Amino acid sequence: MVELLQAFWDAREKIVKITGAFLVLGLLIALFSPEEYTAEATLMPESQEQGLGGKAGSLLSQYGGMLGISPSDLSGGQTGSIPPQLYPKIAESLPYQLELMHTPVYFASYDTTAGVHEFYTEIYSPSIFGYIKEYTIGLPGKMADIFSEKKRDMRTLPKKISRDSVLSITEAQMETVKILRDQLLVSVDQETGVLNFSVTLPDANAAAEVSQLGISLLKEQVKAYRTQKTRQNLAFVQQQVDSAKKRFNVIQQKLAEFRDSNLNLATAKAQSREQELQSQYDLAFNLYNSLSQQLEQAKLELQKDTPVLSVLQPVSVPLEDNTSGLLILIVSGMLGFLVALGYLLAHKWWKNFYLD
């Protein structure tokens, strides 16, 4: 042990040089590493059980009799909830990514308002190579054409697409989509089902704002996904109610006009006509009343099927950069010291092996 310590002491200059070289490398990394800030939030998806519950259930229990709707009419099907594992898939989908990356936010460090797509393609230079490319004048014609074509290609990236459409995008357009996918993370705690939502950007204010927008968009898309069939049913019933109401109003008007012009109903023909109009009126009224009840039922179904994504920990503007310059220097110094010791040990072992 004493011999080993003596060997380290004799090679102290070499240890200092190797450690110093790693410190210089760490300093360069700290200087040229881009600042990144992470804004986080914690979300809790609603846990829904079979049957009718929540606000829709209480409303139905209170007013269902007046509407002619029984709670049992709505409890036969399975409502279910969206599995928590589906939320990250929605956040990774192209429709979600495209809409979020084109929503303008304020980048305080750059004093500009832009979408994430525009920021990364037009404003941000992520490394020293980006600065070299930005300030290089007189690129060869072919290279300039490549960068220009790529820039135009990036601008044509669609801002919003339907999930039912077929999307064709180029490899260059996928670059910023991949950037946002790497910067936005939605993870699920398998035991509790709690969602962790985080966004990492070079600007603290923008990271918080994109996180807030991302959560709102996630809520909207989950709601649209979960209530699609119910909303279609509601729209159909509403159309039928409007049609039945018009038919009822026409029959009601005819019956009123007939009675006004035949006050005495002296003839059998007039009485027969009144009975015919009354029958049409009763049929139109019953149909309109029945469809109105179905409309209220469809509204309650929509309320029941609408998922709730509660915020447990709200988004806040991050105060510190993810990477600390001091931490990088400490780690690089320790790594350099360990590398120097390892080199000396290997060198000593190599000499002893061949000398013996």
Side-chain angles (χ1 to χ4, degrees):
M1 184 65 180
V2 175
E3 182 181 355
L4 183 61
L5 293 176
Q6 184 63 42
F8 287 157
W9 176 256
D10 294 340
R12 59 186 180 277
E13 292 185 3
K14 187 173 293 186
I15 294 176
V16 170
K17 289 180 180 180
I18 295 176
T19 305
F22 272 81
L23 284 172
V24 172
L25 180 61
L27 179 62
L28 292 175
I29 294 174
L31 289 176
F32 290 103
S33 292
E35 293 184 347
E36 288 189 337
Y37 298 87
T38 299
E40 298 178 317
T42 306
L43 312 173
M44 171 64 80
E46 179 185 30
S47 177
Q48 298 181 357
E49 304 293 339
Q50 293 186 3
L52 184 66
K55 185 182 294 184
S58 62
L59 286 173
L60 188 58
S61 299
Q62 188 173 358
Y63 300 109
M66 298 172 58
L67 299 174
I69 306 172
S70 170
S72 60
D73 294 336
L74 296 179
S75 60
Q78 295 182 359
T79 60
S81 61
I82 296 179
Q85 292 77 11
L86 187 60
Y87 287 84
K89 299 297 183 182
I90 295 175
E92 292 175 1
S93 66
L94 272 178
Y96 178 92
Q97 296 278 330
L98 291 177
E99 187 169 351
L100 181 60
M101 71 194 308
H102 282 97
T103 304
V105 296
Y106 180 63
F107 290 82
S109 302
Y110 296 81
D111 193 23
T112 185
T113 299
V116 175
H117 170 70
E118 180 184 358
F119 175 76
Y120 276 110
T121 56
E122 304 288 340
I123 301 171
Y124 181 62
S125 295
S127 66
I128 188 171
F129 302 103
Y131 289 105
I132 294 174
K133 185 180 76 173
E134 181 179 354
Y135 293 105
T136 298
I137 301 175
L139 286 172
K142 188 173 182 181
M143 290 298 293
D145 290 340
I146 292 175
F147 285 124
S148 177
E149 182 63 30
K150 181 179 176 181
K151 215 169 188 180
R152 286 196 300 270
D153 195 22
M154 298 294 273
R155 288 197 188 102
T156 59
L157 187 66
K159 296 183 178 181
K160 192 173 183 178
I161 61 172
S162 171
R163 292 186 178 272
D164 298 326
S165 63
V166 177
L167 177 64
S168 177
I169 61 177
T170 66
E171 183 178 352
Q173 290 173 339
M174 277 297 297
E175 289 183 4
T176 50
V177 175
K178 291 178 180 178
I179 289 175
L180 184 58
R181 282 180 175 174
D182 291 338
Q183 305 296 80
L184 187 152
L185 177 63
V186 180
S187 59
V188 182
D189 188 317
Q190 299 298 330
E191 295 184 0
T192 63
V194 172
L195 301 177
N196 295 315
F197 191 102
S198 66
V199 172
T200 302
L201 288 174
D203 181 83
N205 182 81
E209 194 170 347
V210 172
S211 294
Q212 191 64 38
L213 291 171
I215 292 173
S216 299
L217 182 59
L218 184 62
K219 290 180 179 180
E220 292 176 7
Q221 296 208 358
V222 168
K223 178 181 178 181
Y225 172 83
R226 181 67 180 86
T227 62
Q228 181 178 3
K229 183 177 180 180
T230 309
R231 286 184 287 107
Q232 290 176 349
N233 180 61
L234 178 60
F236 175 76
V237 175
Q238 182 66 63
Q239 183 181 6
Q240 297 303 310
V241 168
D242 295 340
S243 177
K245 184 178 181 181
K246 290 180 180 179
R247 191 181 306 114
F248 171 71
N249 289 337
V250 171
I251 298 298
Q252 187 180 42
Q253 184 67 25
K254 286 183 179 180
L255 180 59
E257 291 176 354
F258 178 81
R259 285 176 174 173
D260 288 342
S261 59
N262 298 272
L263 296 177
N264 296 325
L265 296 176
T267 64
K269 183 178 180 179
Q271 293 177 1
S272 177
R273 178 58 179 166
E274 183 191 26
Q275 291 176 358
E276 179 184 354
L277 290 174
Q278 183 65 47
S279 297
Q280 294 179 6
Y281 172 87
D282 293 340
L283 181 62
F285 173 77
N286 291 334
L287 178 61
Y288 173 59
N289 184 58
S290 175
L291 288 172
S292 297
Q293 293 178 5
Q294 293 183 37
L295 179 62
E296 296 303 320
Q297 178 177 340
K299 290 179 180 179
L300 291 173
E301 283 278 6
L302 181 61
Q303 172 64 33
K304 179 190 64 174
D305 291 343
T306 300
V308 176
L309 190 60
S310 303
V311 178
L312 299 180
Q313 177 64 41
V315 177
S316 60
V317 178
L319 300 177
E320 296 182 357
D321 184 6
N322 291 349
T323 56
S324 170
L326 179 60
L327 179 61
I328 292 177
L329 289 177
I330 294 175
V331 171
S332 60
M334 293 178 61
L335 181 61
F337 182 74
L338 292 176
V339 168
L341 295 183
Y343 168 77
L344 292 176
L345 286 174
H347 183 69
K348 183 176 179 57
W349 174 82
W350 184 265
K351 287 178 62 177
N352 292 336
F353 179 79
Y354 278 97
L355 288 177
D356 294 342

